[in-house]
């Protein structure tokens, strides 16, 4: 496992596209979060804003780069034929899957942590100037605050789970383009579908099973009781999607030739 993990890390760090994409996770997440924070406004007490969630909005953009990194870890090998070399060097398919998942988790954790902490720092600096002050009922953002800490940790875990979900789907379909399309559809079609459903009960059910909508509930720090699903329960739904994708991808990896 150690040698397999080292091989996966070597392949990842020598791929310029993956390195730039990981830097893109940080840049996109922080830039979008800064843009949203700078345009938000709270002019009076009880304005209904959620400063933590606002500055973490960029996670929705950063997840796309995370998904592409995960897909390329598999798609590039199938596209170039390197997967045959990988499976010859490491015949145990479960070891290959575990090594890829471990390396992806490690690099995503680093990128996600920098992104989330940077976004919260921007919110801490810019929020008071946009009216999110103690006088309006919004103390400065702080990781010592339970809901804010949960939003931060949950956002990091969210990006990691998106990566693992994408890795599993890429192993299942074996094509980078197809896998990216499937991941993006899975993330963004559900929210669109929820908006066009007229029945409130069915709309709520769709939101409860949608990987992105349910997963990002963990960012909410205000009005949690109005969510279609609880913060940690929502992240659990995304975790189930990731486990299902990795299980399917792992089984197909073990049953098919490279």
């Amino acid at each position: 496992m150690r040698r397999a993990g080292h091989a996966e890390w070597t392949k990842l760090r020598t791929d310029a596209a993956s390195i730039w994409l990981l830097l893109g996770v940080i840049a996109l997440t922080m830039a979008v979060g800064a843009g949203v924070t700078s345009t938000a406004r709270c002019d009076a007490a009880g304005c209904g804003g959620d400063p933590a969630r606002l500055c973490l909005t960029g996670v929705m953009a950063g997840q796309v780069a995370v998904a592409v990194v995960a897909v390329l870890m598999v798609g590039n090998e199938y596209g170039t034929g390197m997967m045959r070399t990988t499976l010859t060097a490491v015949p145990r398919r479960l070891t290959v899957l575990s090594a890829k998942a471990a390396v992806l988790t490690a690099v995503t954790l680093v990128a996600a942590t920098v992104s989330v902490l940077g976004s919260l720092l921007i919110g801490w600096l810019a929020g008071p100037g946009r009216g999110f002050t103690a006088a309006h009922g919004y103390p400065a953002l702080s990781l010592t605050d339970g809901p804010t800490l949960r939003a931060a940790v949950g956002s990091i875990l969210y990006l990691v789970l998106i990566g693992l979900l994408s890795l599993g789907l890429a192993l299942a379909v074996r094509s980078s383009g197809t896998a990216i399309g499937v991941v993006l559809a899975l993330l963004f079609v559900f929210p669109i579908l929820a908006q066009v459903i007229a029945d409130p009960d069915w709309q709520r059910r769709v939101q409860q099973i949608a990987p992105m909508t349910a997963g990002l509930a963990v960012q909410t720090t205000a009005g949690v009781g109005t969510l279609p699903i609880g913060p940690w329960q929502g992240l659990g739904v995304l975790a189930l999607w990731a486990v299902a994708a990795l299980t399917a991808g792992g089984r197909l990896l073990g049953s098919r030739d490279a």
Side-chain angles (χ1 to χ4, degrees):
M1 175 64 185
R2 183 177 179 180
R3 285 188 292 180
H6 180 72
E8 293 300 330
W9 165 239
T10 300
K11 285 185 281 188
L12 180 67
R13 68 181 175 81
T14 54
D15 180 9
S18 294
I19 298 301
W20 281 109
L21 282 166
L22 287 168
L23 293 175
V25 173
I26 300 171
L28 276 172
T29 303
M30 293 177 62
V32 173
V36 172
T37 301
S38 66
T39 57
R41 189 74 191 174
C42 182
D43 295 320
C47 61
D50 188 340
R53 183 157 195 167
L54 285 172
C55 67
L56 292 173
T57 304
V59 168
M60 284 194 290
Q63 69 180 342
V64 177
V66 170
V68 175
V69 171
V71 166
L72 291 181
M73 285 185 71
V74 175
N76 280 349
E77 289 199 55
Y78 277 115
T80 60
M82 186 179 289
M83 185 60 78
R84 286 190 292 272
T85 303
T86 297
L87 296 179
T88 300
V90 186
R92 297 185 63 180
R93 308 295 174 95
L94 182 59
T95 301
V96 173
L97 172 61
S98 300
K100 288 183 179 297
V103 170
L104 177 64
T105 296
V107 297
T108 306
L109 270 174
V110 173
T113 300
V114 174
S115 303
V116 168
L117 293 182
S119 296
L120 288 174
L121 177 60
I122 291 171
W124 179 75
L125 293 171
R130 305 306 300 171
F132 293 99
T133 62
H136 290 165
Y138 296 99
L141 290 175
S142 171
L143 291 178
T144 59
D145 176 58
T148 301
L149 179 61
R150 184 245 300 149
V153 173
S155 294
I156 294 169
L157 295 176
Y158 175 87
L159 289 172
V160 171
L161 290 171
I162 289 296
L164 295 175
L165 169 64
S166 304
L167 181 68
L169 290 174
L171 285 167
V173 302
R174 302 199 291 185
S175 164
S176 295
T178 302
I180 291 171
V182 172
V183 171
L184 295 182
L186 193 60
L187 293 177
F188 293 102
V189 168
F190 275 105
I192 295 172
L193 182 62
Q195 292 301 314
V196 300
I197 293 176
D199 187 296
D201 291 333
W202 277 103
Q203 185 181 68
R204 188 178 183 87
R205 290 189 184 101
V206 170
Q207 292 172 334
Q208 288 172 337
I209 65 171
M212 184 170 74
T213 305
L216 287 177
V218 77
Q219 293 183 338
T220 304
T221 63
V224 175
T226 64
L227 293 172
I229 190 169
W232 290 119
Q233 291 91 333
L235 200 66
V237 168
L238 176 59
L240 289 176
W241 277 99
V243 169
L246 286 172
T247 300
R251 288 186 175 180
L252 289 172
L253 177 66
S255 62
R256 297 185 302 200
D257 293 331

